[in-house]
Amino acid sequence: MTEDDDARVTAELLTAAREALELFHDVHVDDDGALSFRHGDVPCAVQAMRLAEGLTVLSLTCVVAWDLPENRDLAVSAAERAGQGLFGTLGVVHTERGMDVTLRYAFPAEGLKPEPLSTLLMLVVSTASQLRGELLANAEGDN
């Protein structure tokens, strides 16, 4: 496995992901080849990594919410929701401006056809959008 092979395989996978996402979204290709797009109000990014021959993964990160008020109940709600999720790992980061919430999902994607790849990506971003709505509603209800 050479660096050229890694670059070729990850580029091919990112192209497949871009084509799958373009069925639903406008997709921007960043200078480093990563993909970025918005699902409603949720910004998302996709990267590809070749971990071993035959094992190339896509990593999807969605920024669910940012600058949420520091609230223990809201953090607990996010943690409980994370435990229910089948598609992604929820992260809560505490900043000076409040809480930021991300949803990350990485999965082996080499060889996936466009339709299943598109379905899987949309399941993750739909979860992120639903979670955003729930968190914002809970944050609004606490004010």
Side-chain angles (χ1 to χ4, degrees), residues 1 5-6 9-14 47-59 107-111:
M1 178 168 63
D5 289 338
D6 288 351
V9 169
T10 57
E12 288 171 0
L13 188 52
L14 283 169
Q47 296 176 302
M49 294 160 278
R50 189 173 191 198
L51 302 178
E53 189 170 335
L55 181 57
T56 306
V57 298
L58 281 179
S59 174
F107 59 97
E110 196 170 341

Side-chain angles (χ1 to χ4, degrees), residues 18 39 70:
R18 179 184 50 78
H39 182 74
E70 279 291 342

